[in-house]
Amino acid sequence: MILYTTMPQEFIYPPKTEAFTKQQTVTYQGVSLIVEQMDLQNVQVVRILSSDPQHYLDERICPGAKISCASIEGMSAN
């Protein structure tokens, strides 16, 4: 079977499910992101869920960037 997708292999065949239970989908300044809770005040961006190329150039939301939980519109679990 051949699987054509833009998703990384780790998302399709995850090595451990507990790594993905920490991730949440949030909206930050109108951009959907997958983030991981770092501490009570901050989250770290794991992935950008947008088709707009300008969002990928924004250093505030690049993967690895830390965002304050107070500035996130809604934290919803995956």
Side-chain angles (χ1 to χ4, degrees):
M1 176 174 86
I2 299 174
L3 181 63
Y4 295 99
T5 181
T6 58
M7 299 295 286
Q9 181 178 350
E10 293 82 23
F11 283 141
I12 299 167
Y13 306 109
K16 297 180 183 176
T17 57
E18 57 268 349
F20 296 103
T21 58
K22 299 176 187 175
Q23 297 179 354
Q24 297 177 331
T25 303
V26 298
T27 302
Y28 176 70
Q29 296 184 351
V31 181
S32 294
L33 305 169
I34 295 179
V35 297
E36 187 173 304
Q37 191 80 34
M38 299 305 291
D39 53 34
L40 294 176
Q41 288 85 21
N42 298 312
V43 294
Q44 185 174 14
V45 178
V46 176
R47 187 176 182 91
I48 302 171
L49 300 175
S50 174
S51 59
D52 186 356
Q54 291 297 330
H55 294 157
Y56 291 88
L57 299 174
D58 190 351
E59 293 179 1
R60 296 173 294 164
I61 58 172
C62 66
K66 292 184 180 176
I67 300 174
S68 171
C69 290
S71 61
I72 295 175
E73 292 173 15
M75 296 194 60
S76 61
N78 267 352

